[in-house]
Each structure stands twice: as structure tokens, then as C-alpha cells.
Amino acid sequence: MDSIERLTKKIVKFRNDRDWKQFHNPKDLALSLVLESIEVLEHFQWKNGIDLENYVNKNKDSISEELADVLYWVLLMSHDLDINIDKALENKLKLNNKKYPVEKSKGSAKKYNEL
Amino acid sequence: MDSIERLTKKIVKFRNDRDWKQFHNPKDLALSLVLESIEVLEHFQWKNGIDLENYVNKNKDSISEELADVLYWVLLMSHDLDINIDKALENKLKLNNKKYPVEKSKGSAKKYNEL
Amino acid sequence: MDSIERLTKKIVKFRNDRDWKQFHNPKDLALSLVLESIEVLEHFQWKNGIDLENYVNKNKDSISEELADVLYWVLLMSHDLDINIDKALENKLKLNNKKYPVEKSKGSAKKYNEL
Amino acid sequence: MDSIERLTKKIVKFRNDRDWKQFHNPKDLALSLVLESIEVLEHFQWKNGIDLENYVNKNKDSISEELADVLYWVLLMSHDLDINIDKALENKLKLNNKKYPVEKSKGSAKKYNEL
């Protein structure tokens, strides 16, 4: 089975086993997504340059855990809203391909509306 | 090929084609992850109850796009930090299984440290 | 002395006493501002309707603390960037007054570009 | 009149003139606070070192506007929850003074629980 499908099944089972669906509405799911993303970013607060690199190397396990939490909510929210997230990302890449054509955006950090 | 592996390859190719790796450090990747998560949440601002439900039904495509952006950064960041995000999520589910045993957490919205 | 001026002086003194200016750059100050704002919002996760109201009434002290943390970073960042935040807010209110004229926006939750 | 008191009065009047109180609950106010804080941080995305400094110097007006928006929500939320934010910040500084005694925290970026 496909990884996204397989992980989604495990996550939904985890929730169903605990009867937590009753607490889950899109707004609070999205808030959970934000809170877990912030925990990824929080790792890097007050760290820059070489300190940042060293920190990342030493704390990869802990950063992995936070990233996994973000993926957890992406997959659960996609499931609940009946979104095919695999296809949604494929579509987004096609859109970004048009917004950022290679010849215009190569090596440039500009936003698409500044290109 | 597995969906996570396949999507990651496409994302990395998208970046390499544009020579954008030079701008990508973990701190700014994590910030991108936060910004895109916030865009998911922003959809639901000032909306509650039945208004929220109606909004979600009418705006699924747009919400899908934002969720896809979040997944984009989860996969790119995992790639850059050499994290196996599939396995990281499996591990996280095992940890959560211990933190939230079914018999204690079933039907309860309490945090693990309040169970 | 004016409250914003007085609080700013206390905050800057608190930092100078600890010799923390060396760690403070605008990006990490802004990140602190985000993290503290998120802590305000985190209070309300999974709470809606009457539960939310009850929660707010019971946890006002704790919410006050998080809001004070947000104000701390607003004032410190304004100080470091040499921004007169009092005047900046007066100006913003004038701008918002034009973006949201009373006759058009009264009783409406629409964004200015939808009015 | 005191600056915080004066600004709060103007903000509340701005809202009352538009009859917007009906849309304001603590959860969505806190979300607004987060969204505006994020807009401050968004300025600094992909910018580091000397680029960051230059950017800040050139965009002070725009950053001021976002910081003013954050202050707007701090003051409005404090008003609605009947929080004396001036006193709350004074109290928080006293607490931080205990958590971070000068002799232990001087010149150190450590969190209070690591001191």
C-alpha cells in the first residue's frame, strides 16, 4: 500500500480507538497544524549561522518528532475534509510551475508577482 | 514507487531546476512551514458553527491548496535534514500510543499529563 | 510618564541588566512575538461556544500573562527598531478608517477588498 | 491621558462605530493576534545577516504598520477580557525577574529551566 494511504489509515485508527472524532472540527485541526509547525520553528529560535547547523545535527531526532506531528495533522485533516492530498500536491506543483517558470525564477528569491 | 518518496523527488526536482537550494536553511524552511499552516488556519477566521461547515464545503479546493503547501515543506525539510518522515511518523504513533493509552484516553480531550 | 514609555523603559532595563541585547536581532524578536501570540491562542484550542466562555472566565490570570508577553515583545521590538509604536497605531487607525468607511463596513465581517 | 488607555479608547470606538463586537470572541481575537504577529515575522523570511539589516532599514514603515496591528489586538483583547494589560506586564516583569535572576542569567541565552 502507498505510504500516504497507509499512514492515514493508522492515524485514523489511532483516533477512532480513542473516540476523539467528536472533538475534531476543521478550525481546531488547523490550529493543531499551526501549533505543531510552530514547534518545529521554535527549535531554531535564537540560533543562526554555524550555531544553527550544529543544533540541527545534534537534535535531528527531536526535530523529526515535530515534523511527524505536522504530517499527522496534514493527513488527518485531509482525511476529514475528503481531500486527496497526494493529488493536491501534484496539482500545486503544476501551478507553481506556471507561477515560477524556470527561465524567470532560476537563482532568484523573488516572489512570483515580482518576477 | 511510494507516494512520499515520489512526491519528495518531484519537489526536490522543482527546487533544483530553479537553483533555490542556496536560499534554504532549516530556520527559513521551518518558517515557510509555519506560514503555510497559518494560511490553512486563516481560512477559518471569524467562522464558527454552521458558518464554518458551509465555508469548508464551498472552499475545499482552496483549502486543499494550502494543505498541499504544508506537505510540500514537510517533505522538503525532511529531505534536507535527511529525515525518514514515514518512519518518524510511525515512531510518533507508537509514542502517542504510550502517552495516550486507549483505556485512559477514550472519549477524553485531556492532555496526557492530565490523564 | 506615559504608560508605553514607562513600560518600554522597564523592559529595556530588564534586558540590559542581563546583557541580552547581543542575542536580539529583528528576526528572532519577531519569532518571539509569534511564539507568545501562539501561547495566547493555544489556550482556546478544542474549546468553542459555552466551554470557551467558561474557560476564559476561569483562566483570566493565565491569559493575562501570555498577553503581557506579547506586549513585551511589541515594545522591545519597537524600541530596537526605533519605532514610535504609539504614533504607528494612531496612523494605522487612520488608514483603517479609510479602508473600512463606517457607512460601508457597519455590521459587516467582509474584508476591505470585498466591501 | 495615559497612552495605553487612550489608544484602547480609540480602538474600541473604531470597533463600536462599525458594530463589529458581534463578531469578536476570544478565540478569533487571539487568532487575529497570531496572524498579525506572523505578518511581522514574514518580513524577515529568507533574510539573514547583512541582508536582514538592510531590509529592516528600508522597510521600517511597513514593519511599524504590522507591529501596530499586533498592538491593536493586544489592547482590544485586553479590553474585552477586562485585563489591565499595563499591570499584567508589570507583574510579568516581576515574575521574569525571579525566573531569570541577574547573577545567573547575565550574558546567557539559556532558558530558566536550564540555568
Side-chain angles (χ1 to χ4, degrees):
Chain A
M1 199 193 304
D2 208 77
S3 51
I4 286 180
E5 205 184 333
R6 181 175 46 76
L7 290 168
T8 302
K9 280 202 176 162
K10 290 203 172 184
I11 289 167
V12 173
K13 184 185 178 330
F14 181 88
R15 178 177 68 180
N16 288 349
D17 285 349
R18 281 154 190 81
D19 199 14
W20 283 350
K21 178 87 171 70
Q22 58 183 312
F23 308 117
H24 288 182
N25 63 78
K27 192 167 184 163
D28 284 306
L29 292 181
L31 178 47
S32 301
L33 184 68
V34 166
L35 293 175
E36 297 301 342
S37 302
I38 286 283
E39 289 196 20
V40 178
L41 182 55
E42 201 169 1
H43 273 282
F44 310 124
Q45 194 183 24
W46 309 124
K47 282 161 200 106
N48 292 292
I50 188 72
D51 287 345
L52 180 60
E53 272 181 58
N54 290 337
Y55 180 86
V56 170
N57 289 331
K58 278 185 196 156
N59 294 277
K60 229 177 68 173
D61 283 357
S62 166
I63 299 166
S64 302
E65 265 197 52
E66 312 298 0
L67 270 175
D69 282 331
V70 180
L71 183 56
Y72 178 100
W73 294 106
V74 170
L75 297 183
L76 190 58
M77 197 167 171
S78 299
H79 171 269
D80 282 10
L81 271 59
D82 200 20
I83 288 168
N84 182 334
I85 190 66
D86 186 337
K87 209 178 146 213
L89 183 47
E90 297 266 14
N91 287 340
K92 196 61 203 267
L93 282 170
K94 279 176 202 162
L95 280 172
N96 283 346
N97 224 354
K98 282 182 192 158
K99 269 166 107 176
Y100 294 97
V102 172
E103 60 274 20
K104 277 197 181 176
S105 58
K106 192 161 185 171
S108 159
K110 287 185 182 165
K111 280 224 155 182
Y112 67 92
N113 49 11
E114 300 165 344
L115 281 176
Chain B
M1 199 193 306
D2 208 79
S3 52
I4 286 181
E5 205 184 333
R6 181 175 46 76
L7 289 169
T8 303
K9 280 202 178 164
K10 288 202 173 185
I11 289 167
V12 173
K13 184 184 176 332
F14 180 88
R15 179 176 68 181
N16 288 349
D17 285 349
R18 281 153 190 81
D19 199 15
W20 283 351
K21 178 88 170 70
Q22 57 184 314
F23 308 117
H24 288 183
N25 63 79
K27 191 166 185 164
D28 285 306
L29 292 181
L31 177 47
S32 301
L33 184 68
V34 168
L35 294 175
E36 298 300 342
S37 303
I38 287 283
E39 290 196 20
V40 178
L41 182 55
E42 201 169 1
H43 272 282
F44 310 125
Q45 194 182 23
W46 309 123
K47 281 160 201 107
N48 293 291
I50 188 72
D51 287 344
L52 180 60
E53 271 180 60
N54 290 337
Y55 181 87
V56 170
N57 289 332
K58 278 186 196 155
N59 294 276
K60 228 177 68 173
D61 283 355
S62 165
I63 299 166
S64 303
E65 265 196 54
E66 313 297 0
L67 270 174
D69 281 331
V70 180
L71 183 56
Y72 178 100
W73 294 107
V74 169
L75 297 184
L76 190 57
M77 199 168 169
S78 299
H79 171 269
D80 282 9
L81 271 58
D82 201 20
I83 289 169
N84 183 334
I85 190 66
D86 186 338
K87 209 176 147 216
L89 182 47
E90 298 266 13
N91 287 340
K92 196 59 203 271
L93 283 170
K94 280 177 201 160
L95 280 172
N96 283 347
N97 225 354
K98 283 182 192 158
K99 271 165 104 175
Y100 295 96
V102 172
E103 61 274 20
K104 279 197 179 175
S105 57
K106 193 161 183 170
S108 159
K110 285 185 184 166
K111 280 224 156 183
Y112 67 94
N113 49 13
E114 298 165 345
L115 282 174
Chain C
M1 200 194 303
D2 207 77
S3 52
I4 286 181
E5 204 184 334
R6 181 175 46 75
L7 289 168
T8 302
K9 280 200 176 164
K10 288 202 174 185
I11 289 167
V12 173
K13 185 185 176 333
F14 180 88
R15 177 176 69 181
N16 287 350
D17 285 350
R18 281 151 191 84
D19 199 14
W20 282 351
K21 179 87 171 71
Q22 58 183 314
F23 307 117
H24 288 182
N25 62 79
K27 192 166 185 165
D28 285 305
L29 292 181
L31 178 46
S32 301
L33 184 68
V34 167
L35 294 175
E36 297 301 341
S37 302
I38 287 282
E39 290 196 20
V40 178
L41 182 55
E42 202 169 359
H43 273 281
F44 310 125
Q45 194 183 24
W46 309 124
K47 281 159 201 109
N48 293 291
I50 187 73
D51 288 344
L52 180 59
E53 270 181 59
N54 289 337
Y55 180 87
V56 170
N57 288 332
K58 278 186 197 156
N59 294 275
K60 228 177 69 174
D61 283 356
S62 166
I63 299 167
S64 302
E65 264 197 54
E66 312 298 0
L67 270 175
D69 281 332
V70 180
L71 183 56
Y72 178 101
W73 294 107
V74 169
L75 298 184
L76 190 57
M77 198 167 169
S78 299
H79 171 269
D80 282 11
L81 270 60
D82 200 20
I83 288 169
N84 183 333
I85 191 66
D86 186 336
K87 211 178 145 212
L89 183 46
E90 297 266 14
N91 287 340
K92 196 60 203 268
L93 282 170
K94 280 177 201 161
L95 280 171
N96 284 346
N97 225 352
K98 283 181 192 160
K99 271 165 104 175
Y100 294 96
V102 172
E103 61 273 22
K104 279 198 179 174
S105 57
K106 193 161 185 171
S108 160
K110 286 186 183 164
K111 279 225 157 182
Y112 66 94
N113 50 12
E114 300 164 345
L115 282 175
Chain D
M1 199 194 304
D2 208 77
S3 51
I4 286 181
E5 205 184 332
R6 182 174 45 77
L7 290 168
T8 302
K9 280 201 177 164
K10 289 202 173 185
I11 289 167
V12 173
K13 184 185 177 334
F14 180 88
R15 178 177 68 180
N16 287 351
D17 285 349
R18 281 153 191 81
D19 199 14
W20 283 350
K21 179 86 172 71
Q22 59 184 313
F23 307 117
H24 288 181
N25 63 79
K27 192 167 184 164
D28 285 306
L29 292 181
L31 178 46
S32 301
L33 184 68
V34 167
L35 293 176
E36 297 301 341
S37 301
I38 286 284
E39 290 197 20
V40 178
L41 182 55
E42 201 169 1
H43 273 282
F44 310 125
Q45 194 183 24
W46 309 124
K47 281 159 201 109
N48 293 291
I50 188 72
D51 287 345
L52 181 59
E53 271 181 60
N54 289 338
Y55 180 88
V56 170
N57 288 332
K58 278 185 196 155
N59 294 276
K60 229 176 68 173
D61 283 356
S62 165
I63 299 167
S64 302
E65 265 197 53
E66 312 298 0
L67 270 174
D69 281 331
V70 180
L71 183 55
Y72 178 100
W73 294 106
V74 169
L75 298 183
L76 190 58
M77 198 168 170
S78 298
H79 171 269
D80 282 9
L81 271 60
D82 201 20
I83 288 168
N84 182 334
I85 191 65
D86 185 338
K87 210 177 146 213
L89 182 47
E90 298 265 13
N91 287 341
K92 195 61 203 269
L93 283 170
K94 279 177 200 160
L95 280 172
N96 284 346
N97 224 355
K98 281 181 194 159
K99 270 166 105 175
Y100 295 97
V102 172
E103 60 274 21
K104 278 198 179 174
S105 58
K106 193 162 185 171
S108 161
K110 286 185 183 164
K111 280 225 158 184
Y112 67 94
N113 50 13
E114 300 165 344
L115 281 175

